[in-house]
Amino acid sequence: MLRSSFFWRLYAGSVGLILVALLVCVVLSTRWLEASAVRELEAELTDTARVLRELYFPEASAGFDVVRQEELRALGEEISTRITLLDAHGKVLVDTAEDPQAMDDHSQRPEVRAAREGRIPASSVRLSDTLAREMFYVALPVLDGAGELAGFVRTARETSPMGARLEPLRRAAAVAAILAALLALAMGLPFARRVTRALREMTSVAESIASGGYHERLHFPAHGELGRLGRAFDTMAAELELRVESVTTDRNRVHAILAGMVEGVVAVDREELVVHMNGVARRLLRVGAREVEGLKIWEATRLPEVREILVRSMEERRPVQGELSDSASEGPIIELRAGPLTDHRQQVVGAVLVLNDVTELRRLEGMRRDFVANVSHELKTPLTAIRGMIETILDDPEMTAETRQRFLTRVEEQAQRLSVLVTDLLTLSRLESHAPRAERERLDLREVVAGTLARFKPLALSKSIELAAQQPESEQWVSGDEEELRQLVDNLVDNALKYTPEGGRVQLRLRSIAPEGADRAFARLEVADTGIGIAPRDRDRVFERFYRVDKARSRELGGTGLGLAIVKHVALDMGGRVSLESIPGAGTTFRVDLPLQA
Amino acid sequence: MTQHFLRDLEHLKREILTVGAMVERAIEHATTALLERRADLAQRVIAGEREVDEMEVQVEEECLKVLALHQPVAGDLRFVITVIKVNADLERMGDHATHIAERALALSQVPEIPMPPGLDLMVRTVRQMVRSSLDALVTFDTAAAARVCAEDDVVDGCLREMFDYLEQAMRRDPEVTGRALHNLSACRNLERIADLATNIAEDLIFLARGEIVRHRRMRA
């Protein structure tokens, strides 16, 4: 506080003002007192002169006798006044202090001159030549019977007694002034301190609010202007706090929305500085956790397509679409869509880019394309064969019955193949559409397995493949469609036999398992063969429709390419799952887990 | 510091990062082509080299223009000089990437020989080094740049392993010599890329700290 220049200015200012006022008061009052004392003296001397004029003057001009002079002198002494009688020329006739003979011409004395001119009062203050003291002189003219100037009466007194009389008054005034000054000094201090403190408190709270402490408030006393100021300030601070909160809430909300989106969002301003990049965008652009807001977009990510598309959309003022084909083999396929941002005056202020991971989408599109192509091909081949053979038969009426029989048999084979294909397609389509099951029954998997085994025994025998099944003691109840389940097991065994060379082995194994973390038990069917195996890169894809590892061979063996797809969908539909293990050249094990019913 | 100067510096920074991105991509494609026997990728890299070279000439001309026009001093001067150096390093990196692509193309057209076991690690490390050194140009992270320099030892080790492996392979079966030599050449080029990435990192340390750090350690 003591260092505050404002405090000192305030204090010094107010105290100074008070002191100046006091000074003026004291000076004026003492002056007035003095003037008043002087006037009083003047009046007294004038009265004395008047009296003397009546009493003594006629006599003096004739020549004052000594006795009278003595009398005058005694009188003068008694009333402490010096009396001087002058004639009309200024010559001293009588004087109570000096010998008149020795005194010079007084006609030029100021009070005399004034009296001659008729001025009333005719007085002056000066140092007496003769007495060497300051004296106050008053002169009165004396007029004779004819009204002509006959002489002057002059009275005088020392001024020092008057001064002496004033002295205590002056002293009293000075003391009073000093007391008042001290009082002012003392009382000014708390006043200045209060104002200064209020100011400092306000400054400190304002500074703290400016640096983020929005909840700070003043605590001014309730009264007066300061109180009003304090309340106004507090209201303003509260308002500010609300605004800041509101803005922060809004901003957090927007961030939360952006963070919760599936798409990546990047916003830049006109200077290509990143305004915002949400988490998904960071992942897709591989930016990581780095602080990117405030960086140029081309500093944040080196993928050139990102900057290009944003700049283009800002320049062309319209949405632009593009794609990130990051690396040819790895990395997701990302679709880019950028649009310009304009303010209320239609000025471009930035651009926003939305990133969409369309890898899966593209893959599915690819699969669909492949599927359609495959189906067309699969259907066309037998049809072409059928048509060819029918045409041949029709074109050649000479054909022998034997030949015709052979051809027609082949037509029937192809027709059968078509039929199987169409049936499989329908099955698959039905499975994939998740149509509600009408035919859900309780079945014992062991029976299904046994049935399949019986059906495929001849085929296994013909290829000298050992086909066997290991069945559990207890029933394996599952809930499903009998036809579908049969197809599932059939397809697995069919595949196994198809891809196992002669002399190999296909082993089925059925048992209950209770996997960790699952809340129910499963029936696990394993079909293990000693066949040619499946390479790692094909392993994930064998369950896809029409996927064939070795296209030529599979078609030759009469497959539709849909077998495993059906297996997968039947299992999934029942709430189970499929998996496989394989060692190329050694064999493959397919595994199907189906939920057990009690 | 006038508007034009600032803008030119910014432009320069963007251009050098663009060249960096192009070279980074070329390296990625070339190494993928090598590992996965992708002739298509290899050809893409070889075809793209010209564009990279043109861009690099452009950058150098920009730098000279900035030096002549604005006569920068202190930090800005170091920046322009660094851009010139990095540009040269990137140009050579691009050349090496093209060489790798050429080897990959050749290898994709002949029967496969097993890849040396350390090749995967080497490719990953080199890619990471290139990425980090370019990132450091943006972030001025001298610690990350120092780490790049340290990783160079890993790459050198990989190369030595590769050398031994291929030498043995050639001895066991002289038929594979031609292919093994292609492989070795590709690995050599990869190692050079790692060295150049180290250079870039050192250039950045110079830019950030004003001290020259290269040639501090003797190569074993």
Side-chain angles (χ1 to χ4, degrees), chain A residues 363 366-367 370-371 428 432 538-548 561-566 568-569:
Chain A
R363 193 178 73 89
M367 273 175 68
D370 290 342
F371 178 67
L428 204 56
E432 281 180 354
D538 299 313
R539 241 172 254 160
D540 292 324
R541 303 196 62 188
V542 286
F543 291 104
E544 280 176 32
R545 287 172 288 184
F546 293 127
Y547 188 82
R548 292 187 172 108
L562 294 170
L564 284 175
I566 292 177
K568 174 176 162 188
H569 279 284

Side-chain angles (χ1 to χ4, degrees), chain A residues 312-435:
Chain A
R312 233 177 77 199
S313 87
M314 281 198 281
E315 276 171 9
E316 296 177 20
R317 303 179 68 113
R318 64 179 183 86
V320 176
Q321 213 159 327
E323 201 170 281
L324 254 190
S325 48
D326 191 10
S327 170
S329 54
E330 2 174 316
I333 302 174
I334 297 167
E335 191 181 61
L336 302 172
R337 257 184 242 158
L341 295 169
T342 52
D343 64 6
H344 56 276
R345 282 173 296 164
Q346 303 303 316
Q347 305 270 56
V348 172
V349 292
V352 74
L353 170 68
V354 176
L355 299 102
N356 239 315
D357 187 341
V358 295
T359 319
E360 190 62 20
L361 200 65
R362 294 286 157 84
R363 193 178 73 89
L364 288 174
E365 279 171 12
M367 273 175 68
R368 191 174 309 131
R369 263 198 305 273
D370 290 342
F371 178 67
V372 171
N374 276 328
V375 170
S376 316
H377 188 266
E378 296 294 323
L379 289 176
K380 209 180 260 186
T381 316
L383 277 174
T384 311
I386 291 172
R387 284 181 61 202
M389 284 184 255
I390 298 293
E391 267 175 32
T392 313
I393 293 175
L394 287 174
D395 281 345
D396 187 7
E398 313 288 314
M399 195 181 276
T400 63
E402 194 194 330
T403 318
R404 198 168 35 236
Q405 190 68 10
R406 225 181 30 238
F407 271 45
L408 287 173
T409 312
R410 291 216 346 238
V411 168
E412 213 228 325
E413 280 169 12
Q414 293 299 322
Q416 172 69 355
R417 198 168 138 196
L418 257 180
S419 170
V420 166
L421 182 63
V422 171
T423 311
D424 276 354
L425 276 172
L426 283 173
T427 308
L428 204 56
S429 157
R430 193 160 48 84
L431 283 168
E432 281 180 354
S433 72
H434 302 290

Side-chain angles (χ1 to χ4, degrees), chain A residues 290 296 298-299 302-305 307 326-330, chain B residues 10 13-14 21 24-25 32 38 41 131 134-135 138-139:
Chain A
R290 261 195 302 153
K296 295 276 181 180
W298 40 264
E299 286 177 322
R302 280 198 292 283
L303 300 165
E305 293 93 338
R307 179 187 174 257
D326 191 10
S327 170
S329 54
E330 2 174 316
Chain B
E10 207 177 270
K13 189 166 193 191
R14 197 175 75 227
E24 204 180 356
R25 193 174 280 197
T32 306
R38 299 270 304 264
L41 278 182
R131 192 177 316 145
L134 290 174
D135 279 346
V138 173
T139 63

Side-chain angles (χ1 to χ4, degrees), chain B residues 81-175:
Chain B
I81 290 176
T82 303
V83 170
I84 294 178
K85 290 204 274 184
V86 169
N87 191 36
D89 290 334
L90 285 173
E91 205 235 318
R92 282 152 66 206
M93 256 193 210
D95 285 342
H96 288 303
T98 308
H99 292 156
I100 293 176
E102 285 164 356
R103 300 288 138 250
L105 187 60
L107 281 171
S108 73
Q109 289 162 343
V110 295
E112 195 176 344
I113 61 164
M115 284 294 164
L119 187 58
D120 232 13
L121 173 65
M122 196 178 180
V123 164
R124 256 179 305 138
T125 311
V126 172
R127 281 183 187 167
Q128 181 58 40
M129 283 170 77
V130 172
R131 192 177 316 145
S132 295
S133 61
L134 290 174
D135 279 346
L137 278 181
V138 173
T139 63
F140 269 56
D141 185 354
T142 49
R147 281 198 292 275
V148 170
C149 299
E151 284 194 308
D152 196 31
D153 293 336
V154 173
V155 174
D156 290 343
C158 284
L159 182 63
R160 276 194 297 273
E161 259 182 53
M162 222 139 298
F163 192 87
D164 292 336
Y165 176 89
L166 288 169
E167 188 191 11
Q168 280 181 25
M170 284 191 272
R171 244 186 263 183
R172 267 199 310 264
D173 180 8
E175 286 297 303

